[in-house]
Amino acid sequence: MSYYTVKDAATFELEEKKSVFIGNVKRVSNEQEAKEFVAEIKGKHKDARHNVYAYIIGEDMRIQRRTDDGEPQGTAGIPVLDVIKKKGITDTAIVVTRYFGGILLGAGGLARAYSKVASESINKGKIVLRVKGKSLLVTVNYDLLGKLQYLFEKKKWYIDNTEYTDKIVLSLKFENEDIEMAKAAINEISSGNCSFNVGEERYYFKIENRLF
């Protein structure tokens, strides 16, 4: 199972007709983390007129919450939630704070402002793929290092770490479905003169061909 989420916490600010909108986005792993994040931002901006939030959690996007926090119904929480949905991401919480500037924006203006701030906050945090994978430690003799480096470069497999002892231990990461294929290719090029240690399954970020 893989899914998209926001990579980094980020902030985006917009001024619209003297109202200041501040968007904060963060990746969360469960609803408790989302609630704590919302509480943190509300505490930071307790003097603001509104702290609108929305979040989606779970690989299946099962948990979805939002609030208008005093804004006219449907003008704030729903637009923020819709941005998360349209971006196709989950495990993501957004709080958009509004410092009211004295000029009414109207329902359409509010919805556009909240949507824009939510969208730009996510863009700043960057969307990234999360995949299930495992670490793979490959132990070989020194005379096989060149062959393996050539193989890894050809396959675009990234070596996270190389440890030099009486033998060489190479550390890599693979998606679950690629582990056996990788082991077979390494076994073939080394004529079976290697050993493997496969780590526990966990989630990794994936950018291009690299897990981290």
Side-chain angles (χ1 to χ4, degrees):
M1 180 71 181
S2 62
Y3 64 92
Y4 287 93
T5 187
V6 66
K7 181 177 178 288
D8 302 312
T11 300
F12 177 81
E13 186 171 320
L14 171 72
E15 183 173 339
E16 187 71 22
K17 293 183 179 178
K18 296 187 178 181
S19 281
V20 176
F21 295 83
I22 304 169
N24 282 276
V25 63
K26 184 179 180 181
R27 178 170 46 85
V28 293
S29 58
N30 54 56
E31 189 163 18
Q32 183 59 34
E33 283 188 16
K35 289 178 178 179
E36 290 172 357
F37 174 63
V38 171
E40 175 190 345
I41 300 302
K42 281 186 172 183
K44 184 178 178 181
H45 296 288
K46 56 188 175 183
D47 55 336
R49 177 72 68 89
H50 308 281
N51 282 288
V52 170
Y53 72 79
Y55 56 80
I56 296 179
I57 297 168
E59 297 175 16
D60 56 358
M61 300 185 173
R62 180 173 52 87
I63 300 174
Q64 300 187 11
R65 304 281 187 267
R66 45 84 180 173
T67 180
D68 292 314
D69 193 34
E71 294 283 27
Q73 185 175 1
T75 64
I78 288 178
V80 174
L81 186 67
D82 282 347
V83 167
I84 302 175
K85 290 179 180 178
K86 288 174 182 176
K87 296 280 188 180
I89 60 178
T90 188
D91 285 0
T92 300
I94 300 177
V95 182
V96 181
T97 299
R98 182 190 181 193
Y99 286 90
F100 182 55
I103 299 175
L104 297 177
L105 301 183
L110 281 175
R112 285 190 295 273
Y114 279 106
S115 293
K116 180 177 178 61
V117 172
S119 181
E120 292 299 333
S121 297
I122 291 171
N123 290 343
K124 285 190 71 175
K126 299 182 180 62
I127 294 175
V128 69
L129 183 64
R130 292 269 277 175
V131 299
K132 282 186 176 179
K134 297 175 182 177
S135 62
L136 179 66
L137 297 181
V138 184
T139 302
V140 296
N141 292 324
Y142 278 76
D143 60 342
L144 290 171
L145 180 59
K147 286 185 177 181
L148 288 180
Q149 287 175 329
Y150 175 77
L151 172 67
F152 298 163
E153 184 177 351
K154 183 179 178 181
K155 296 282 190 180
K156 295 183 179 178
W157 294 343
Y158 186 85
I159 301 174
D160 293 308
N161 186 56
T162 303
E163 183 180 350
Y164 300 92
T165 58
D166 57 322
K167 292 191 174 184
I168 293 177
V169 182
L170 304 168
S171 176
L172 304 94
K173 298 184 185 77
F174 293 95
E175 292 182 66
N176 287 343
E177 58 267 30
D178 295 332
I179 285 283
E180 293 305 317
M181 173 271 296
K183 288 168 64 177
I186 294 167
N187 257 326
E188 181 179 357
I189 203 167
S190 67
S191 300
N193 293 313
C194 62
S195 62
F196 302 107
N197 189 340
V198 180
E200 295 294 321
E201 178 183 84
R202 53 161 290 190
Y203 271 109
Y204 292 99
F205 291 122
K206 182 178 181 181
I207 296 180
E208 295 180 346
N209 224 39
R210 183 182 178 185
L211 306 188
F212 61 96

